[in-house]
């Protein structure tokens, strides 16, 4: 197709989306029903309940709310952090109870509308960078606890920046069309055939933990596939790959035990791997503070994710013996002293590379970035002085990095695709955050 033809096709798609979105806005099929002006609110004395506030504090930690709603060096929950998307940056709003710039004048029904329906206090549709596609599953009682906690915070006046989204992504009609494809509101419904522990884990992983927002592939419109859940995917605009979370055959965590999952979420490292990149922040800010019961519930749920079909790596595979041989020499010189000749690492110190989900993931992005920029495990109460891996960007050129990463991805029990010099060049100058 010619360039002109592609432009015409793109314009036609935009027109169809906007027309469909306009119709959907009129139908309001995935938006909150209107609330009578005289609807009863939650009594203030209920929101002042210390037990409810404490429950909300814990739930806010499980939801990792502060990570997005706090700019670097800023007051927690006061917003201002710009969240990158392929369609433009969206700033996270102020969640403190400031009356002019935060939630000070919000009622619980306003908050419920945002969390459950993805709709602002003024009725406008919210951008799905706020993960209401998952938060819709949060139970109303838990939403009330979250609201009570946020209302208990010291108010901070901090204006909310305007999203930097170009046409047509800044249109409400476009959002309505997107929601019709990817958003289904509804609270989590327990499975009576499963244990209470499994249901608790499913509720946290699918709902407040919003794990599928990162650990699932996204299409060109930014939507996630409904099935299979948690099957792994590249995190948009961040250039990290969130691995498949199935612990069964061909899953990203195949061979992991429930204890391995608990250890990673609690301490940042386990016998099977270490948290790096965005997951390190999740551990630091969120999961290390979860109760043992909740961590085990999440592990119990993940253990029941179905086996996956064998898939070809998206990185270019091949039997480049010369590249792998060159990589073997670099590995012996630079890596084996910590990770071992057999790729098993040192328990509790250096993570294994054999069977490591960060090594085996389909794209090779994670291993490339860690070799270039270093690997920095999260600091946690259980592991206050984690060992880190130094960056090799200044010591190894693109050819060397491609060689050693390819060697690691095809050694021992690893059978991932090789990577190319152009892959390395693409991520050499990618910002860490």
């Amino acid at each position: 197709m010619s360039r002109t033809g592609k432009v015409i096709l793109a314009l036609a798609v935009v027109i169809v989306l906007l027309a469909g979105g306009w119709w959907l806005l009129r139908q309001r099929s995935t938006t909150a029903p209107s609330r009578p002006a005289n609807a009863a609110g939650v009594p203030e004395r209920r929101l002042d309940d210390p037990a409810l506030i404490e429950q909300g504090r814990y739930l806010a930690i499980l939801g990792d709310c502060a990570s997005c709603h706090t700019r670097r060096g800023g007051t927690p929950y006061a917003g201002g952090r710009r969240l990158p998307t392929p369609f433009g940056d969206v700033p996270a709003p102020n969640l403190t109870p400031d009356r002019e710039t935060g939630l000070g004048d919000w009622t619980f029904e306003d908050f419920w509308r945002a969390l459950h329906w993805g709709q602002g206090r003024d009725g406008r549709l919210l951008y799905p960078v706020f993960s209401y596609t998952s938060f819709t599953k949060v139970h109303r009682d838990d939403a009330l606890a979250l609201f009570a906690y946020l209302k208990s915070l010291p108010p901070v006046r901090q204006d909310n920046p305007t999203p930097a989204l170009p046409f047509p992504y800044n249109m409400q009609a476009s959002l309505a069309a997107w929601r019709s494809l990817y958003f289904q509101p509804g609270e989590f419904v327990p499975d009576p055939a499963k244990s209470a522990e499994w249901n608790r884990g499913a509720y946290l992983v699918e709902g407040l933990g919003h794990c599928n927002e990162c650990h699932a592939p996204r299409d060109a419109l930014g939507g996630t596939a409904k099935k299979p859940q948690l099957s792994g995917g590249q995190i948009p605009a961040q250039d990290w790959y969130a691995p498949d979370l199935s612990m069964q055959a061909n899953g990203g965590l195949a061979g992991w035990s429930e204890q391995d999952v608990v250890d990673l979420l609690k301490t940042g490292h386990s016998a099977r791997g270490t948290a790096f990149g965005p997951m390190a922040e999740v551990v630091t800010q969120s999961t290390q503070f979860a109760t043992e019961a909740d961590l085990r519930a999440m592990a119990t749920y993940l253990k029941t994710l179905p086996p996956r079909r064998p898939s070809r790596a998206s990185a270019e595979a091949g039997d480049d013996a010369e590249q792998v041989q060159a990589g073997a020499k670099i590995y012996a010189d630079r890596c084996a002293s910590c990770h071992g000749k057999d790729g098993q690492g040192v328990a509790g110190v250096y993570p294994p590379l054999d069977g490591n989900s960060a090594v085996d993931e389909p794209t090779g992005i994670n291993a490339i970035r860690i070799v270039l920029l270093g690997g920095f495990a999260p600091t946690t109460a259980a592991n206050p002085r984690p060992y880190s891996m130094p960056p090799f960007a200044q010591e190894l050129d693109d050819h060397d990095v491609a060689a050693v990463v390819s060697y690691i991805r095809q050694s021992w029990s690893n059978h991932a695709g090789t990577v190319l010099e152009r892959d390395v060049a693409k991520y050499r100058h990618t910002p860490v955050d």
Side-chain angles (χ1 to χ4, degrees):
M1 182 182 295
S2 68
R3 180 182 179 85
T4 301
K6 291 180 180 178
V7 171
I8 293 174
L9 178 60
L11 288 174
V13 171
V14 168
I15 291 171
V16 170
L17 285 174
L18 290 177
W22 175 83
W23 183 84
L24 287 165
L25 276 175
R26 294 182 63 85
Q27 299 297 312
R28 303 182 73 84
S29 59
T30 61
T31 56
S34 59
R35 183 169 61 93
N38 61 351
V42 177
E44 287 295 325
R45 64 180 181 277
R46 179 82 190 281
L47 295 177
D48 291 337
D49 180 359
L52 187 68
I53 292 172
E54 176 58 26
Q55 178 189 355
R57 184 194 68 82
Y58 177 68
L59 293 172
I61 290 173
L62 289 183
D64 200 18
C65 305
S67 288
C68 286
H69 291 274
T70 307
R71 68 183 181 186
R72 187 181 295 275
T75 304
Y77 299 101
R81 178 173 181 178
R82 287 193 170 273
L83 307 175
T85 80
F87 314 104
D89 291 349
V90 179
N94 185 350
L95 296 186
T96 72
D98 179 67
R99 288 191 175 276
E100 295 186 28
T101 64
L103 304 183
D105 286 336
W106 283 49
T107 67
F108 171 64
E109 292 301 331
D110 295 330
F111 184 74
W112 174 251
R113 181 185 294 258
L115 197 71
H116 184 71
W117 293 96
Q119 220 175 327
R121 185 169 180 253
D122 58 1
R124 290 178 62 82
L125 305 180
L126 301 177
Y127 294 108
V129 67
F130 172 59
S131 303
Y132 55 80
T133 46
S134 293
F135 296 151
T136 186
K137 296 188 177 184
V138 173
H139 293 154
R140 191 175 174 89
D141 287 346
D142 282 346
L144 179 61
L146 279 167
F147 185 64
Y149 170 66
L150 294 174
K151 294 283 274 190
S152 76
L153 296 172
V156 177
R157 179 179 174 78
Q158 181 165 289
D159 291 331
N160 298 304
T162 302
L165 297 176
F167 176 84
Y169 308 116
N170 59 350
M171 302 288 291
Q172 286 282 291
S174 298
L175 271 176
W178 187 93
R179 289 162 65 101
S180 72
L181 295 172
Y182 303 110
F183 176 48
Q184 181 61 50
E187 291 183 58
F188 175 81
V189 178
D191 185 343
K194 302 290 187 179
S195 67
E197 184 179 48
W198 184 94
N199 277 296
R200 174 65 176 176
Y203 173 64
L204 294 176
V205 170
E206 295 180 9
L208 198 58
H210 59 287
C211 304
N212 204 56
E213 303 297 327
C214 287
H215 291 271
R218 290 186 179 270
D219 61 25
L221 295 178
T224 58
K226 294 181 179 180
K227 291 185 179 180
Q229 280 200 324
L230 304 167
S231 58
Q234 187 169 340
I235 304 175
Q238 292 191 38
D239 291 327
W240 287 96
Y241 191 91
D244 179 292
L245 295 184
S246 170
M247 299 162 66
Q248 305 300 320
N250 302 309
L253 303 185
W256 284 53
S257 67
E258 291 184 33
Q259 188 61 50
D260 291 330
V261 173
V262 171
D263 288 344
L264 183 80
L265 296 177
K266 189 69 176 180
T267 72
H269 71 93
S270 74
R272 300 302 302 265
T274 300
F276 292 114
M279 191 62 201
E281 183 178 20
V282 172
V283 173
T284 300
Q285 301 289 339
S286 177
T287 58
Q288 70 159 317
F289 302 108
T291 64
E292 181 78 9
D294 278 346
L295 292 177
R296 293 206 170 274
M298 288 187 275
T300 296
Y301 170 70
L302 293 180
K303 190 174 182 179
T304 65
L305 291 177
R308 309 302 193 192
R309 293 180 179 179
S311 61
R312 297 178 60 184
S314 60
E316 294 191 21
D319 297 323
D320 191 336
E322 184 177 347
Q323 182 190 40
V324 172
Q325 185 177 3
K329 185 178 186 307
I330 296 170
Y331 181 86
D333 293 341
R334 306 277 186 154
C335 314
S337 59
C338 292
H339 295 287
K341 294 180 180 180
D342 55 2
Q344 294 301 310
V346 177
V349 181
Y350 304 119
L353 301 181
D354 182 16
N356 189 314
S357 60
V359 171
D360 274 344
E361 54 86 8
T363 67
I365 291 173
N366 293 351
I368 290 172
R369 292 199 62 179
I370 291 171
V371 171
L372 286 172
L373 305 175
F376 302 95
T379 299
T380 60
N383 188 26
R385 295 181 179 179
Y387 288 88
S388 297
M389 174 179 157
F392 286 91
Q394 300 300 319
E395 300 179 36
L396 301 178
D397 61 21
D398 293 349
H399 175 272
D400 291 338
V401 174
V404 71
V405 169
S406 295
Y407 168 75
I408 293 169
R409 283 167 60 83
Q410 294 198 342
S411 294
W412 314 300
S413 67
N414 299 332
H415 300 288
T418 59
V419 299
L420 305 177
E421 288 185 45
R422 66 169 180 261
D423 302 322
V424 179
K426 180 179 179 180
Y427 301 113
R428 178 174 286 274
H429 302 295
T430 301
V432 176
D433 184 13

